[in-house]
Amino acid sequence: MTTFKAILFLFFLSLSINLTARNDGTTMAPILEKTKSLISYIEDEVNQEVVHAEMDILADTKTVFRSLQKGYTYQIIAYGDFRFKDIDVTVYRWNGDKWVMTVKDTENKDMAIVSIKPVTSSDYKIEVKAYKFNKGFDVGHYGLIICHEK
């Protein structure tokens, strides 16, 4: 586990906010609180710059397109609310003809983190996949954050 991944994993374990306070599935409050806390932690404690953040509902796969610049090491973090058992993220680079997989999360957790250091500035496709839900759920709110060193 990379240092960045280890730091964020420990942060999520220590998160003291009640993220399931209203767990009937009709509120974004848990993912909003998680996102707010995570962004503060990334910017203040890990000294990274957040360049993209989003939250949405996810039942299967969500695709985001983003230009990533040479010279930075990006951290791409996907995480779910209390309904997710496993969420994955896969990053593809456009090579002029097709999308080529660059990096993929393979851990079985409700948070996926991958790192990528583009050798050239290029367009990337980021897929967030709801791999497995906790029992009784088939949809949940997720968050996606992209950050890099300042």
Side-chain angles (χ1 to χ4, degrees), residues 4 18 24-25 27 29 33 38-39 41-42 45 57 61 63 68 81 88 139 148:
F4 188 85
N18 182 1
D24 62 1
T27 180
E33 290 296 325
L38 181 55
I39 287 174
Y41 189 78
I42 288 169
E45 303 297 325
I57 197 153
T61 304
T63 303
L68 301 181
D81 65 11
D88 291 335
V139 67
H148 61 66

Side-chain angles (χ1 to χ4, degrees), residues 63-83:
T63 303
V64 174
F65 296 93
R66 175 89 185 173
S67 178
L68 301 181
Q69 305 302 310
K70 175 183 177 181
Y72 290 103
T73 300
Y74 291 88
Q75 314 298 327
I76 300 170
I77 309 152
Y79 48 96
D81 65 11
F82 58 92
R83 295 172 280 193

Side-chain angles (χ1 to χ4, degrees), residues 31 52 54-65 76-81 84 86-92 103-105 109-114 125-133 140-146:
I31 205 69
H52 179 91
E54 71 176 50
M55 293 155 288
D56 203 348
I57 197 153
L58 181 66
D60 185 32
T61 304
K62 167 75 185 236
T63 303
V64 174
F65 296 93
I76 300 170
I77 309 152
Y79 48 96
D81 65 11
F84 285 88
D86 186 12
I87 194 166
D88 291 335
V89 65
T90 306
V91 180
Y92 301 85
V103 64
K104 180 179 181 170
D105 164 73
K109 296 184 178 173
D110 66 349
M111 178 179 68
I113 303 172
V114 295
K125 177 171 78 167
I126 301 162
E127 286 185 348
V128 179
K129 177 153 181 65
Y131 193 77
K132 188 173 186 181
F133 290 97
H141 289 112
Y142 80 97
L144 175 69
I145 292 176
I146 302 171

